[in-house]
Amino acid sequence: MAEQAPRYLDLCLFLGPFASSDPSLNEIPVDCRSFQSIEEELDHYRSRAESLEGTLLDTQLALEEFQASSRELEEEMERELERTEKINNEVKARNEVLRREAEEWK
């Protein structure tokens, strides 16, 4: 009897040729365990997908919070910059007045 082809691809064998020398491209760990049945493998990868989905949602929430706080900080810094520029212009104007007075006294 001829050898039957596997019903599904072994993920480790499939990803092996695509391994990169760039570590950032290999950050997602590949689980290269063997399973007793397709159901066991499906359960494992469903569980893994749910876990990753939870991580994704947490990361998205953290990103949204970071973006909101960044916007608030940027607005605060813009207001502070405007105040500082106004004070700087007032000091320059006062300095010019004092410089003219000093020239008159010479």
Side-chain angles (χ1 to χ4, degrees):
M1 186 184 275
E3 197 173 312
Q4 265 190 324
R7 292 175 44 192
Y8 57 94
L9 288 176
D10 182 340
L11 188 59
C12 296
L13 293 175
F14 179 73
L15 291 178
F18 299 103
S20 172
S21 60
D22 181 354
S24 67
L25 298 177
N26 294 323
E27 288 180 4
I28 300 174
V30 176
D31 188 354
C32 293
R33 68 172 68 181
S34 58
F35 300 93
Q36 298 300 317
S37 68
I38 228 151
E39 289 79 18
E40 181 185 354
E41 185 174 11
L42 285 172
D43 288 343
H44 171 76
Y45 285 114
R46 279 189 185 120
S47 174
R48 180 84 171 116
E50 288 171 1
S51 172
L52 289 173
E53 185 176 28
T55 301
L56 173 63
L57 294 175
D58 292 345
T59 303
Q60 286 173 329
L61 179 62
L63 174 61
E64 289 169 5
E65 291 172 354
F66 173 77
Q67 288 173 328
S69 67
S70 291
R71 278 189 296 275
E72 292 170 5
L73 181 59
E74 182 180 10
E75 291 167 359
E76 181 183 331
M77 291 176 74
E78 287 290 336
R79 288 190 298 271
E80 182 65 26
L81 179 61
E82 288 172 8
R83 284 192 295 270
T84 303
E85 287 175 340
K86 180 180 177 186
I87 291 170
N88 187 39
N89 289 335
E90 291 170 356
V91 168
K92 283 181 179 179
R94 179 71 177 141
N95 188 37
E96 184 61 28
V97 168
L98 293 173
R99 190 187 61 74
R100 284 187 201 140
E101 287 178 6
E103 286 294 320
E104 289 175 6
W105 287 5
K106 285 184 181 179

